Amino acid sequence: MIDYGPFWDYMRKNNISQYYLIQHGIASKTIYNIKKNCYISTSTLEKLCKIMDCTPNDIIKFTDD
C-alpha cells in the first residue's frame, strides 16, 4: 500500500501550504486523493517533486497492508 504520510511531513517542515500547490498547478482533487491515500499518476508525482524541490521518497512510502 502507498502511504502519503511523508508528503504531509515534508510540507510541514518546509512551510508549504496546500494553497501554494494549487497556485502552482496541482488540482485540489489531487490533494484530496493524497489525503485519502488514493492513486495519483507518476506525472503528478513528478510535478509535485519539481514544485516542492524534493524526491518521490519525500512524498510516498510503501507499507505492507
Side-chain angles (χ1 to χ4, degrees):
M1 182 172 140
I2 293 177
D3 177 25
Y4 293 101
F7 171 79
W8 303 110
D9 295 338
Y10 188 87
M11 284 183 60
R12 255 189 308 280
K13 279 193 267 184
N14 293 284
N15 296 318
I16 299 171
S17 68
Q18 293 177 40
Y19 181 69
Y20 175 83
L21 296 178
I22 291 168
Q23 284 181 315
H24 287 84
I26 300 298
S28 57
K29 176 69 175 166
T30 299
I31 295 170
Y32 174 83
N33 285 344
I34 292 170
K35 283 181 184 179
K36 300 294 183 183
N37 279 334
C38 294
Y39 170 81
I40 63 169
S41 68
T42 53
S43 63
T44 300
L45 182 61
E46 180 182 8
K47 191 173 186 179
L48 282 167
C49 288
K50 286 181 181 180
I51 292 169
M52 295 171 45
D53 190 30
C54 65
T55 67
N57 288 336
D58 295 319
I59 295 177
I60 60 173
K61 70 178 176 180
F62 292 98
T63 59
D64 289 332
D65 235 356

